[in-house]
Amino acid sequence: KAVALSLIATELVTNAFKYGAKPVGGSRVAVHVSGITAGSVRLRVCDDGEGLPPDWAQARPRGSGLGMKLIRGMLDQIDAKLEVANAPGACFTITA
């Protein structure tokens, strides 16, 4: 579970810098990891960029799309849940 979560975190942080960066001024990326119960963890990666378009899940990826495929594959592998919000930037919360 730890290896899968580290790959997911790396991809989400990379995407935050790649797509969430503001053209002028600084951007922020926050990563939070917390234990929920014995053996369960919550990983949250948020940025303060523009956020995701309303149809982001169905939209054609701007890049190769391999990053989200990797994330979804890792989520399935560890039976984790993904929640996505715009608050105001993109915020991804994984519960595993």
Side-chain angles (χ1 to χ4, degrees):
K1 193 185 278 191
V3 172
L5 285 171
S6 68
L7 289 170
I8 291 168
T10 300
E11 187 58 36
L12 289 174
V13 169
T14 300
N15 283 350
F17 282 111
K18 198 165 152 183
Y19 301 116
K22 296 176 184 174
V24 178
S27 296
R28 296 181 68 127
V29 176
V31 179
H32 299 275
V33 180
S34 56
I36 302 169
T37 60
S40 295
V41 67
R42 179 169 292 132
L43 166 68
R44 188 175 169 122
V45 178
C46 303
D47 66 62
D48 65 350
E50 292 180 22
L52 298 161
D55 62 344
W56 76 273
Q58 294 80 29
R60 183 180 173 102
R62 286 190 265 176
S64 65
L66 291 175
M68 280 311 293
K69 287 180 185 174
L70 170 77
I71 290 170
R72 292 178 200 275
M74 292 289 115
L75 292 170
D76 289 344
Q77 194 174 58
I78 60 173
D79 195 29
K81 180 180 163 188
L82 171 67
E83 296 174 46
V84 182
N86 285 323
C91 195
F92 294 81
T93 303
I94 291 95
T95 306

